[in-house]
Amino acid sequence: MAKLRWGMIGGGEGSQIGPAHRLGALADGMFELVAGALDHRPDVGREYAQRLGVAADRAYGNWQEMLAGEKGRDDRIDLVTIATPNSTHFEIAKAFLEAGFNVLCEKPMTMTVEEGEEIVRVAEASGKICAVNYCYSAYPMVRQARAMVRAGDIGKVRLVVTNFSHGHHGDATDADNPRVRWRYDPAMAGVSGQFADCGIHALHMASFICDDEVKSLSADMASTISSRELEDDAMVNFRMEGGTVGRLWTSSVAIGRQHGFDIQVFGETGGVRWASEQPNQLIYTPVGGRTQIIEKGEGGLHDEVQRLSRVAIAHPEGFPLAVANIYCDLADAIRGETRDGLPGASDGVRSIAAVHAAVASGKEDGAWKDARPPMFR
Amino acid sequence: MAKLRWGMIGGGEGSQIGPAHRLGALADGMFELVAGALDHRPDVGREYAQRLGVAADRAYGNWQEMLAGEKGRDDRIDLVTIATPNSTHFEIAKAFLEAGFNVLCEKPMTMTVEEGEEIVRVAEASGKICAVNYCYSAYPMVRQARAMVRAGDIGKVRLVVTNFSHGHHGDATDADNPRVRWRYDPAMAGVSGQFADCGIHALHMASFICDDEVKSLSADMASTISSRELEDDAMVNFRMEGGTVGRLWTSSVAIGRQHGFDIQVFGETGGVRWASEQPNQLIYTPVGGRTQIIEKGEGGLHDEVQRLSRVAIAHPEGFPLAVANIYCDLADAIRGETRDGLPGASDGVRSIAAVHAAVASGKEDGAWKDARPPMFR
Amino acid sequence: MAKLRWGMIGGGEGSQIGPAHRLGALADGMFELVAGALDHRPDVGREYAQRLGVAADRAYGNWQEMLAGEKGRDDRIDLVTIATPNSTHFEIAKAFLEAGFNVLCEKPMTMTVEEGEEIVRVAEASGKICAVNYCYSAYPMVRQARAMVRAGDIGKVRLVVTNFSHGHHGDATDADNPRVRWRYDPAMAGVSGQFADCGIHALHMASFICDDEVKSLSADMASTISSRELEDDAMVNFRMEGGTVGRLWTSSVAIGRQHGFDIQVFGETGGVRWASEQPNQLIYTPVGGRTQIIEKGEGGLHDEVQRLSRVAIAHPEGFPLAVANIYCDLADAIRGETRDGLPGASDGVRSIAAVHAAVASGKEDGAWKDARPPMFR
Amino acid sequence: MAKLRWGMIGGGEGSQIGPAHRLGALADGMFELVAGALDHRPDVGREYAQRLGVAADRAYGNWQEMLAGEKGRDDRIDLVTIATPNSTHFEIAKAFLEAGFNVLCEKPMTMTVEEGEEIVRVAEASGKICAVNYCYSAYPMVRQARAMVRAGDIGKVRLVVTNFSHGHHGDATDADNPRVRWRYDPAMAGVSGQFADCGIHALHMASFICDDEVKSLSADMASTISSRELEDDAMVNFRMEGGTVGRLWTSSVAIGRQHGFDIQVFGETGGVRWASEQPNQLIYTPVGGRTQIIEKGEGGLHDEVQRLSRVAIAHPEGFPLAVANIYCDLADAIRGETRDGLPGASDGVRSIAAVHAAVASGKEDGAWKDARPPMFR
């Protein structure tokens, strides 16, 4: 099977996100990097792309050049990944979709709900894929959790509780560090700090596993380091369309938590829980029964779980291969398979709407807000 | 050292709480059970008390008899434990305090804030001890956590996050079981279900470790099993007097959680966490440093921790000995030692006020409420 | 039910083992301490016994006085606990058994196999109970493991693997500390260091859960701190009468292990494992199935497990209450109930024989030795 | 940087090991698959190679063709991976080394010690790399453990204890399954079953982390499923050249263990432990101090650890990326960097010598044997 042609915007040398995407795209041999505009400094980006094996004529100085260049080619890229600063996602994604390219966009997909809805419309009109990188949902055991919920293994879902806490921004003496500071500065980060950064992963996962959408929410946003304008800690209560009660805590000042992203889903006949630091197990308890450990790679898991596992039981697969699973699904989808586990533009805009709802709620002492973008109300 | 004389009201044969108190009171040889009114059926209670070694003339048919009988004796009991149905705590505690007895009252201390404030006043006027059985705060490593916070080991506390979740009421087919049903019936349980039952343990512990008091709160109360009038799941956001942000989740429908009571406290220079299912360790992380495991029994712990540990490092001590620690502190306090770790009437009334504030908030879509009893505003 | 009368030899003020026995004996209100010879210094022992509530005439200066005094009383003690230095266990246990007292002896029961066999014969002739304090076998979930093995839940047992490792003697600069040094000095500790101290607990537990006896063994004994004459680390391979393969590692230089006592039992149709630092869970895996967590206090456990649990599911019970379970079984046995979980003199002598076999094997480069006392060959 | 040219022998469609190697070699973009003889059925192998993107003229029918074809090319492969049945490793590796190719050989490198020594000599004479795929040693935190030992962080190593247990061959009713049976059949597996399959990974890791070599050993080999000729459970005691005491348990009938590969190393001033199911943490305890959790990705780790980590702290990296680390080291070594963490032919022959020594010891009731190949005595 010929490899798909892949291009990347952003994710240049020294970025954290670039290597994760390259590893994800290349690991399974489904994609080949053939084009790139990797840095906001044109020369730097061109040079780095060539070092990564991109031909000189497809090592572009910026995304506009890349769009122009690729549009005209017969061997144009099959997929573009957008890993640029958040505020630029909208215009780049829109332009590439309109030109008929498949897109994988880093989260948050856009800064405003209006932009997000626009992307949904453009993607739909284009007939192209617009995926958003909620990569944690591609861990095999997260897929297993969703499959179990869909199969009714825990009955109607009553309650979902999810956390995404870390302590890496907990040192106030480090608050002026530019890598930390921008996150809490509205000029750079938009309306929300920690909730927009990490909380929306948790919110998406709640929707993903519960196979339902967030309808309304109430938020308590706190800047526990007082010099911060945006929140570094947030608690969001929510309700889903189907009535499920939701609780989501996210924090960047939880000193001692490294990557405390976990989720618990409780239904009428059982519960499941999963934690990102031990991603290869899913913990399941049937009502009235004993807690069981479900292992990635054991017999009898749902098909899509087996499809997204590479090595034998109890051989851990980690974060980079969760990203790779997004790319596997993308490759399949580009080739025409239905891959409904792939987070899309509607997921992207729902997250943005939830962020804005949470911020509004926080400012009104936790008043409940509609969490949906207008187009989905 | 002569044993102290101990009496008990309630906690008869077949109750869960009676054995825990007897084990707690007797384990360290500090108390001797010499009087009791153990059952609402006078004959049953008298007979059981005698089987437990109480002399016939001090095996009472009800608490009024016991009060009358003990009041007149030179060898009157040094302490009475009240382990009767919740709605009776107030009048019994009040009567015994007024008669000059030291009291250990099960939680909740009273049903209303007014009653709670009355107990505080009566206790103060009597000069006697009125303790409330927030026994989890007597685990050695919880005491260590408080001592570390007080010593400044984690700096000023920014955030406290605590959960008390279990799934033992998660089976809707079991909802008519009388042992479960009463908890969600306002006629028997009062204004709150799960929050009043378990949540206040977590709320007390937050105050206890942070060495601060809850000032205001906002609550989201949910009956995830729709036949329940009172909540089986609650999320409470709060603020402490010193500005600390608080998050508390409690649930009885979290299928798969057995006794999911844990707490995380995050300060300016570190964080600690503790979980009731592994009570002999405290997890500590200094800001910028590695996570460390502090073991009960290791060298260098705070004095009150060593005092409340009985066996060598890594030999676990469990729940019954946490209750025993309450009785150790009581014995010391009765003999005149200062034991400021002992939860008292003011803690009792603060809990009741928080329950009523949470219920009110829940009814007003999470509006923030003063969580304090009027006397402490 | 009247309390049983209890006496204690050794376990004076400042000892580690005295408090554990007192807590164990008193916790459930089954015994009352009425006699004692608690210290090798007669006056100190008498004074301390009286402080613990023993009457002056039963606060003895040494065990011979106690034997003489108790023998002549109508209200003689129902049980004597022997918690003196190891080398004295034999003569004290023998004398009390011969005089018709029930005995609980600390481990090791004796120093030599001959002495151990003598105790077995004396106990049998006396018709009295001679229990040995292998207290870890009294944890509820250890009893559950044995009951499951007996019920065939894991099929015929193929393999048992057990460890008892700690690192508390790992600091060579502390090697002259008298509390550490005696353990490795043959003049005080006998033929074996760490294996006799901790290893025999693990060996007993293997027999206990597998419901089988050790037949032969091969040992590798090492003094990793070279100044030690006796081993601080040992590996023992063994075979049981029924053919089960056994592996036992024990160490006192395993820095970072606190109380690393655990056991895994593997049979034809399943496996179970248990660890002393999380004693309230038993991990069970049926062949071809998922690993399950069995919780102390859950429904459906074997009767003797429920009998030895005091508080609700997921409320941990720790080491002191395992000791208390030994006393519960003793109280029942004294009253005539059959309590076959109680470790007895035959267990005691088997341990001693295994120690001597391991030492002999170690000296002969791991040659296999009969591990049984001659009387059981 | 141009990609290195890579070829593979064995690891065809449906094999477990092929995908692990391809993922490992391709993940970081260092190698490109340009040649292959992937299947013992020539046509099948050729077809599959082409599906993986290999040009038709380099899709070979067998390794002899591949050797002949590649030898003559200017763009010959830079590395060949040998993932064929164990008994063929020797002749293939020897032939490719002699022809001047770098080799990565699956374990066991050879079947006999003589063959192993021959490979060492051939590799040395060729000046080429002969690596052996002890991939677990390439987990970042295993490298950190070795670096800490080398830096003296735990002092002189006294004791190493390692296990590699699983239960996937524990079902006797599955014993005729060809995927299981061959492992215990000397005609196919050679002299050893479980020890040769899994145990040598543990033995290598002990040497790797301790930075020392195994000198002598004593083994207890057991076939707990009696129909098996070769052992399914083994305990190996050993001594290292530097005097370190070693213990190694390996089992394939440990029902409930999935991939129970872990190691503990205890030195004069501290201990470390690591487990393959949670590979991203290393647990470290300084003597007299608290246990600490060292996280992959935290600041201050040794350089080679940072070099082999791809994503941020607490984002797990799993088994496939440990294999990828072997390929990273290989790529560097091919380019002339010194990569002393790469297991080589001497490691390969040492393992074989240890296997033969263990088998001999097992047959002589655990007699101690020299574990070294003659060339290293």
Side-chain angles (χ1 to χ4, degrees), chain B residues 356-368:
Chain B
H356 284 267
V359 170
S361 172
K363 288 186 176 153
E364 294 175 41
D365 283 344
W368 284 79

Side-chain angles (χ1 to χ4, degrees), chain D residues 58-69:
Chain D
R58 298 176 89 172
Y60 300 101
N62 57 43
W63 69 264
Q64 292 91 341
E65 278 184 19
M66 181 161 154
L67 177 61

Side-chain angles (χ1 to χ4, degrees), chain A residues 56-357:
Chain A
D57 65 324
R58 298 177 90 172
Y60 299 102
N62 58 43
W63 69 264
Q64 292 92 341
E65 280 182 20
M66 180 161 155
L67 177 61
E70 292 298 311
K71 234 181 350 192
R73 301 181 70 105
D74 285 343
D75 62 348
R76 51 155 48 187
I77 50 175
D78 296 298
L79 173 72
V80 63
T81 292
I82 302 170
T84 53
N86 296 346
S87 61
T88 66
H89 293 173
F90 170 66
E91 62 175 342
I92 305 175
K94 182 163 183 269
F96 275 80
L97 285 166
E98 287 175 340
F101 291 91
N102 296 303
V103 167
L104 171 62
C105 187
E106 259 306 321
K107 45 104 335 215
M109 185 175 77
T110 61
M111 299 302 282
T112 71
V113 180
E114 294 69 28
E115 291 168 352
E117 294 197 334
E118 176 75 359
I119 294 290
V120 171
R121 282 187 291 263
V122 168
E124 199 170 310
S126 73
K128 292 293 162 184
I129 296 162
C130 179
V132 181
N133 193 28
Y134 290 112
C135 48
Y136 301 101
S137 68
Y139 270 111
M141 300 316 279
V142 172
R143 296 288 176 100
Q144 172 71 10
R146 186 175 69 149
M148 287 176 68
V149 167
R150 285 181 168 186
D153 291 355
I154 64 167
K156 182 169 166 21
V157 176
R158 293 169 177 159
L159 175 66
V160 56
V161 181
T162 182
N163 302 309
F164 196 148
S165 61
H166 68 76
H168 302 300
H169 298 173
D171 187 354
T173 65
D174 193 41
D176 277 340
N177 176 341
R179 288 181 73 108
V180 172
R181 193 183 48 197
W182 78 269
R183 174 57 63 197
Y184 305 99
D185 178 352
M188 303 173 80
V191 295
S192 164
Q194 173 64 10
F195 184 62
D197 186 26
C198 294
I200 62 174
H201 275 297
L203 200 73
H204 175 262
M205 186 168 287
S207 295
F208 186 83
I209 294 181
C210 296
D211 202 23
D212 198 355
E213 300 294 349
V214 175
K215 185 176 179 185
S216 60
L217 63 76
S218 161
D220 178 20
M221 316 287 266
S223 299
T224 71
I225 294 185
S226 56
S227 61
R228 288 174 178 165
E229 199 165 335
L230 300 179
E231 87 287 353
D232 52 19
D233 188 277
M235 180 74 220
V236 177
N237 290 303
F238 57 93
R239 294 294 183 278
M240 304 191 93
E241 297 281 1
T244 296
V245 173
R247 320 263 180 229
L248 185 162
W249 169 54
T250 189
S251 188
S252 67
V253 294
I255 296 171
R257 307 308 318 209
Q258 299 295 346
H259 195 263
F261 181 16
D262 54 50
I263 187 161
Q264 307 178 70
V265 183
F266 305 109
E268 289 179 337
T269 61
V272 290
R273 56 195 154 98
W274 177 86
S276 74
E277 296 193 31
Q278 286 182 264
N280 297 287
Q281 286 80 32
L282 181 69
I283 310 301
Y284 163 58
T285 313
V287 69
R290 286 177 186 156
T291 292
Q292 303 172 11
I293 301 168
I294 308 180
E295 295 274 349
K296 176 194 72 72
E298 71 172 46
L301 299 187
H302 288 269
D303 284 352
E304 75 172 311
V305 183
Q306 304 294 20
R307 184 169 54 80
L308 298 173
S309 303
R310 291 161 188 80
V311 282
I313 187 167
H315 288 71
E317 297 182 43
F319 178 77
L321 297 185
V323 177
N325 285 344
I326 292 285
Y327 280 92
C328 287
D329 270 1
L330 273 167
D332 291 349
I334 290 168
R335 288 173 174 133
E337 297 271 353
T338 300
R339 289 290 175 243
D340 76 347
L342 202 47
S346 62
D347 297 292
V349 68
R350 283 183 187 276
S351 296
I352 311 307
V355 167
H356 284 268

Side-chain angles (χ1 to χ4, degrees), chain A residues 158-159 161 170 172 220 225 233 235 237 239 247 249 251 253-257 264 266-267 273 285 365 368, chain B residues 158-159 161 170 172 220 225 233 235 237 239 247 249 251 253-257 264 266-267 273 285 287 365 368:
Chain A
R158 293 169 177 159
L159 175 66
V161 181
D220 178 20
I225 294 185
D233 188 277
M235 180 74 220
N237 290 303
R239 294 294 183 278
R247 320 263 180 229
W249 169 54
S251 188
V253 294
I255 296 171
R257 307 308 318 209
Q264 307 178 70
F266 305 109
R273 56 195 154 98
T285 313
D365 283 343
W368 284 80
Chain B
R158 291 168 177 159
L159 176 65
V161 180
D220 179 19
I225 294 185
D233 188 276
M235 181 73 218
N237 289 303
R239 294 294 183 277
R247 319 265 182 226
W249 170 53
S251 188
V253 295
I255 295 171
R257 307 305 324 207
Q264 307 178 70
F266 305 109
R273 56 194 154 98
T285 313
V287 69
D365 283 344
W368 284 79

Side-chain angles (χ1 to χ4, degrees), chain D residues 39 42 131 173-174 204 212 217 227-228 244 246 254 287 289-290 331 335:
Chain D
D39 204 290
T173 66
D174 193 40
H204 175 262
D212 198 354
L217 62 75
S227 62
R228 288 174 178 165
T244 296
V287 69
R290 286 177 186 156
R335 288 175 175 132

Side-chain angles (χ1 to χ4, degrees), chain C residues 147-182:
Chain C
M148 288 176 69
V149 168
R150 287 182 167 186
D153 291 355
I154 65 167
K156 182 168 163 25
V157 177
R158 292 168 176 160
L159 175 66
V160 57
V161 180
T162 181
N163 303 310
F164 196 148
S165 62
H166 67 76
H168 302 300
H169 297 173
D171 187 354
T173 65
D174 193 39
D176 278 339
N177 176 340
R179 290 181 72 109
V180 172
R181 193 184 49 197
W182 78 270

Side-chain angles (χ1 to χ4, degrees), chain C residues 160-348:
Chain C
V160 57
V161 180
T162 181
N163 303 310
F164 196 148
S165 62
H166 67 76
H168 302 300
H169 297 173
D171 187 354
T173 65
D174 193 39
D176 278 339
N177 176 340
R179 290 181 72 109
V180 172
R181 193 184 49 197
W182 78 270
R183 174 58 64 198
Y184 304 100
D185 178 353
M188 301 174 80
V191 296
S192 164
Q194 172 64 10
F195 183 62
D197 187 26
C198 294
I200 61 174
H201 275 297
L203 200 73
H204 175 262
M205 188 169 286
S207 296
F208 187 83
I209 294 180
C210 296
D211 202 22
D212 198 355
E213 300 294 347
V214 175
K215 184 177 180 183
S216 60
L217 62 75
S218 161
D220 179 19
M221 315 287 266
S223 299
T224 71
I225 294 185
S226 57
S227 61
R228 289 175 178 165
E229 199 165 335
L230 300 179
E231 88 285 354
D232 52 19
D233 189 276
M235 181 73 218
V236 178
N237 289 303
F238 57 93
R239 294 294 183 278
M240 303 190 94
E241 297 281 1
T244 296
V245 173
R247 319 264 182 227
L248 185 162
W249 169 53
T250 188
S251 189
S252 67
V253 295
I255 296 170
R257 308 303 326 204
Q258 299 295 346
H259 195 262
F261 181 17
D262 54 50
I263 188 162
Q264 307 179 69
V265 183
F266 305 109
E268 290 180 336
T269 61
V272 290
R273 56 194 152 99
W274 178 86
S276 74
E277 296 192 32
Q278 285 182 266
N280 297 287
Q281 285 80 32
L282 181 69
I283 311 301
Y284 163 59
T285 314
V287 69
R290 287 175 185 156
T291 292
Q292 303 172 10
I293 300 168
I294 308 181
E295 295 274 349
K296 176 193 72 70
E298 72 174 46
L301 300 186
H302 288 269
D303 283 352
E304 76 172 311
V305 183
Q306 304 294 21
R307 182 169 55 81
L308 297 174
S309 303
R310 291 161 189 79
V311 282
I313 188 167
H315 287 71
E317 297 183 43
F319 177 76
L321 297 185
V323 178
N325 286 344
I326 293 286
Y327 280 93
C328 287
D329 270 2
L330 273 168
D332 291 349
I334 289 169
R335 288 175 174 133
E337 297 271 353
T338 300
R339 289 290 174 243
D340 77 348
L342 201 48
S346 61
D347 298 291

